[in-house]
Amino acid sequence: MHPAAHDTTITAKPFLKWAGGKTQLLDQLRGYYPPEVTDGSLTRYVEPFVGGGAVFLDVMQRCAACEAHLFDINPELNILYTAVQHDPQGLIDLLADYRQRYAMLDETARSQYFYAVRSHCNRGRARIDFANFSPAWVERAAALIFLNKTCYNGLFRVNATGHFNVPFGKYKQPAIYDADNIRMVSHLLQRATLHVGSFEQCADLVDARTFAYFDPPYRPLSRTANFTSYTTGRFDDAEQRRLAAFFARLDAGVGARLMLSNSDPKNSDPNDNFFDDLYAPFSVQRVSASRMINSVAQGRGKVTEIVVINY
């Protein structure tokens, strides 16, 4: 384990709420970053499942020499990150309008407004050109951020048709946006290239001077804890095995620094060695986390998660 140097200037944080987001784990995860993150010998950071981006933001504020390549199979995330990257002020202005409108409403009217925005956003999906950036991306990003910050449990979840399907959340004072943070995230994204695609598409960008961090949809801890639907696909055990094989190929082929997070099956079955066996050639560590995405309060609490490293 290699403790990373602490940088008190680090301030940028995710602008989305995200199931499985890594903000709460950063203090622990930093202890597993390769030392080259801060000594200048790494020049590239690759994240094949960017999600909420907490580790990306943390690493880029520590690795001044790094460019980044961020992948996700969810095209909505590409719209969100591209809007922040290219037009942060336009996004901030639209979010300010959402916040002002929302603040003036009582709870009943807020619920009606939320569902109206959600319906408009879902209907408009078919008209979005996901291949070419336009002002419509910024408008969609603002609507999605508003929904993410005012929905139940702060989720980003879609159904099989790609429609946002999380119900209204009864927050009294939701923090819909932080203008300064959006600007800081935008600044860091100037060093990033965004890609829509599966994790395997990052292969040609990973070399000996790369730190690649994998944060895939987690393997469910139980049959009822099955939140994997932030995109229209499913990430089952066959996909977990495919990812592990890809991790091993990168390790054998290019000499990159590789790190991966996932759930720990031993939380529910001490004899479940799924990941210990799958990543047996590597170092499998465990960190402590709080399980927050659960509809039953008694089902929330401390669990362990695995961290796999090849160095």
Side-chain angles (χ1 to χ4, degrees):
M1 191 165 71
H2 308 285
H6 179 63
D7 184 347
T8 56
T9 66
I10 291 176
T11 52
K13 59 186 183 295
F15 59 90
L16 290 173
K17 290 185 176 181
W18 198 257
K22 293 298 176 290
T23 299
Q24 61 153 317
L25 292 179
L26 283 177
D27 284 344
Q28 295 176 79
L29 293 179
R30 287 176 191 133
Y32 295 101
Y33 291 172
E36 296 90 345
V37 164
T38 52
D39 71 12
S41 59
L42 289 177
T43 58
R44 182 174 293 162
Y45 174 77
V46 172
E47 190 163 347
F49 305 87
V50 67
V55 174
F56 154 69
L57 295 170
D58 193 55
V59 168
M60 293 301 282
Q61 290 171 104
R62 296 169 185 278
C63 186
C66 284
E67 64 174 13
H69 288 270
L70 307 178
F71 289 76
D72 206 280
I73 201 152
N74 185 348
E76 300 282 18
L77 274 181
N78 185 55
I79 281 181
L80 285 158
Y81 280 98
T82 302
V84 173
Q85 183 184 54
H86 287 306
D87 191 5
Q89 191 56 52
L91 180 63
I92 289 166
D93 291 344
L94 290 169
L95 288 169
D97 185 59
Y98 275 114
R99 184 167 67 183
Q100 182 178 19
R101 290 171 182 265
Y102 196 71
M104 296 170 61
L105 304 174
D106 61 24
E107 185 175 299
T108 299
R110 284 183 172 190
S111 176
Q112 294 170 344
Y113 183 62
F114 172 88
Y115 286 112
V117 172
R118 194 182 78 169
S119 178
H120 179 76
C121 192
N122 287 338
R123 288 197 310 270
R125 189 177 194 275
R127 298 190 297 272
I128 291 290
D129 178 357
F130 284 94
N132 297 291
F133 176 73
S134 72
W137 284 30
V138 184
E139 294 172 6
R140 186 165 186 82
L144 289 169
I145 291 171
F146 167 76
L147 293 172
N148 172 251
K149 295 301 181 71
T150 56
C151 72
Y152 179 74
N153 256 359
L155 297 177
F156 190 103
R157 187 185 67 199
V158 299
N159 60 21
T161 61
H163 288 176
F164 191 91
N165 67 351
V166 188
F168 174 64
K170 299 179 180 180
Y171 300 111
K172 298 298 184 185
Q173 293 181 306
I176 294 172
Y177 75 101
D178 178 333
D180 289 340
N181 186 62
I182 287 175
R183 294 186 186 100
M184 287 186 286
V185 173
S186 180
H187 175 73
L188 293 173
L189 283 169
Q190 302 312 304
R191 289 193 277 147
T193 302
L194 304 170
H195 308 263
V196 179
S198 72
F199 61 86
E200 291 170 316
Q201 292 178 247
C202 76
D204 291 342
L205 293 165
V206 178
D207 60 22
R209 300 189 70 185
T210 297
F211 174 35
Y213 172 60
F214 298 80
D215 187 24
Y218 274 20
R219 187 177 190 243
L221 292 178
S222 69
R223 292 186 181 184
T224 57
N226 194 28
F227 182 86
T228 57
S229 51
Y230 75 99
T231 183
T232 56
R234 292 294 181 268
F235 210 86
D236 57 15
D237 281 359
E239 290 292 287
Q240 299 287 0
R241 293 186 182 95
R242 188 163 69 96
L243 174 58
F246 180 69
F247 189 97
R249 288 200 302 274
L250 288 182
D251 173 71
V254 297
R257 304 293 186 265
L258 308 176
M259 177 173 159
L260 176 142
S261 295
N262 216 306
S263 60
D264 183 4
K266 292 183 180 296
N267 286 297
S268 51
D269 180 359
N271 297 314
D272 189 338
N273 295 312
F274 182 80
F275 286 123
D276 293 87
D277 292 343
L278 206 54
Y279 291 98
F282 308 106
S283 174
V284 180
Q285 306 291 329
R286 284 172 167 82
V287 296
S288 177
S290 295
R291 184 196 299 142
M292 299 301 292
I293 306 301
N294 195 310
S295 60
V296 181
Q298 292 89 331
R300 306 174 190 176
K302 289 293 183 181
V303 296
T304 55
E305 296 185 2
I306 67 160
V307 177
V308 181
I309 54 177
N310 75 334
Y311 40 86

